[in-house]
Amino acid sequence: MRDTNTPDNFAIFDKEFQNKFTNWAYHTARRKQGGYSHNTVVATFSVLKIWLNGATEAGLITTKDYRKYPSKGEDVDNIALTVDEIEAIYRLNIPKLISEGVIDTKSTIEATRDLFIVGCWTGLRRADIARINEALFDLANNRLTIQTQKTNEKVIIPLHPFVCELYAKYHGRFPKLIDKSKANGQLQELGRLAKIDELTSRSSVRGGKIVTEHLMKYQRIGFHTGRRSFATNLYLQGAPTISIMKMTGHKTEQSFLKYIKVSKVEHSELMQKFFK
């Protein structure tokens, strides 16, 4: 706490701490990057409140002011890929691109692509894709079962044809997933090669201000895009919300509807199916 000359004791967590910390996070910390984002600040408060609850139980702190610290962030402005965009990535001829010198011969990009496709058609989080070999693949009944890491909940997901093809490709043992940063970089390169180059805008609150940047869609692809794409595409195809939630693990319809990425035009087109 050297930046703000704040003492190192529990007495600092009073009514003023929220404003002091927020001001530091927005304006002092990471000045070159414009400060921390709003959601990062809120996430920090959420973790802090857990620690302070423990400190209260241990008799180390008596004030209850910390319980009013914010713990709910804003909706994240992320993307989802369409069914056609997912297939474009899946159909990339990576061996050919390697032979042409477009992709390095030692690259693990093909394995990353294949695991991402699994995510796009199972809705699993990155942590569960990393342990996909623990899943039970029931080919006779065309489904997989896995105990999710984050919620410790068992989910049962039907097998998409692409997932079945990849299961056969690797003889039932999928490759190891590389670290997050490198994998996301490879996914963005795959998106570029698949010509997912629509110009998009992304807005976020950083340093207490709304910052909007313009990026190609492929520049915004990450492993979590697969999970969002799974939920969004099933929703657009008319799958019951409750059924999708059973596979994604969402507890409430409100949180699920914030999660999917459906434009007003797509909502209109979806409703036209019912009118017809």
Side-chain angles (χ1 to χ4, degrees):
M1 307 289 280
R2 290 192 300 271
D3 290 353
T4 56
N5 297 316
T6 303
D8 186 11
N9 59 63
F10 285 107
I12 67 172
F13 299 108
D14 55 17
K15 294 179 180 179
E16 299 301 321
F17 179 79
Q18 177 183 337
N19 291 333
K20 290 178 180 178
F21 180 80
T22 302
N23 184 67
W24 173 84
Y26 284 169
H27 306 299
T28 305
R30 304 175 79 230
R31 286 179 178 173
K32 291 183 180 180
Q33 289 81 25
Y36 286 102
S37 70
H38 173 71
N39 280 2
T40 298
V41 173
V42 170
T44 303
F45 276 124
S46 296
V47 174
L48 184 61
K49 286 165 75 173
I50 295 172
W51 290 347
L52 293 178
N53 279 331
T56 299
E57 292 175 3
L60 299 174
I61 184 172
T62 57
T63 178
K64 300 296 191 296
D65 292 331
Y66 70 87
R67 294 182 178 177
K68 297 180 181 179
Y69 296 164
S71 58
K72 185 177 181 180
E74 61 181 3
D75 293 342
V76 181
D77 187 10
N78 285 324
I79 61 163
L81 298 179
T82 67
V83 172
D84 290 341
E85 288 169 338
I86 295 170
E87 182 162 4
I89 292 175
Y90 183 58
R91 299 299 183 193
L92 283 173
N93 190 336
I94 292 180
K96 183 173 182 290
L97 292 170
I98 290 175
S99 68
E100 294 173 348
V102 177
I103 296 175
D104 186 86
T105 56
K106 297 180 180 180
S107 175
T108 58
I109 198 169
E110 183 170 5
T112 298
R113 187 271 309 273
D114 292 345
L115 290 168
F116 177 67
I117 296 300
V118 171
C120 287
W121 287 116
T122 61
L124 293 174
R125 297 179 179 88
R126 186 185 185 281
D128 293 321
I129 296 173
R131 44 189 286 275
I132 190 66
N133 289 320
E134 298 177 24
L136 174 63
F137 282 79
D138 183 353
L139 300 182
N141 292 299
N142 201 48
R143 64 194 180 204
L144 73 82
T145 303
I146 189 170
Q147 198 85 13
T148 60
Q149 188 174 79
K150 183 176 181 179
T151 61
N152 195 33
E153 181 179 359
K154 182 173 74 173
V155 294
I156 301 174
I157 304 167
L159 294 174
H160 186 274
F162 289 177
V163 178
C164 291
E165 290 174 12
L166 291 170
Y167 184 84
K169 174 180 177 178
Y170 292 106
H171 307 288
R173 295 297 298 178
F174 288 93
K176 184 178 179 180
L177 182 60
I178 61 174
D179 71 84
K180 182 177 180 179
S181 178
K182 187 175 180 180
N184 285 346
Q186 290 181 339
L187 291 179
Q188 290 165 17
E189 176 63 8
L190 288 163
R192 185 187 70 81
L193 292 170
K195 296 182 172 27
I196 303 175
D197 52 10
E198 173 190 355
L199 185 62
T200 68
S201 62
R202 177 174 62 189
S203 297
S204 61
V205 178
R206 186 168 293 279
K209 300 178 180 179
I210 296 177
V211 177
T212 301
E213 52 188 338
H214 300 288
L215 299 166
M216 296 296 186
K217 192 173 184 179
Y218 70 79
Q219 293 177 294
R220 301 175 62 187
I221 300 175
F223 250 93
H224 204 65
T225 306
R227 180 169 161 80
R228 287 184 178 277
S229 301
F230 173 80
T232 300
N233 288 324
L234 287 183
Y235 181 83
L236 287 173
Q237 291 170 14
T241 300
I242 189 65
S243 297
I244 307 173
M245 289 170 57
K246 286 292 184 182
M247 294 182 284
T248 60
H250 284 94
K251 299 297 184 183
T252 67
E253 188 173 25
Q254 182 181 14
S255 64
F256 171 78
L257 292 175
K258 288 182 180 179
Y259 191 84
I260 63 172
K261 295 297 174 182
V262 180
S263 69
K264 293 180 180 179
V265 172
E266 288 170 323
H267 270 300
S268 174
E269 291 175 346
L270 183 62
M271 293 308 301
Q272 287 179 32
K273 297 178 182 178
F274 291 95
F275 293 157
K276 293 178 181 178

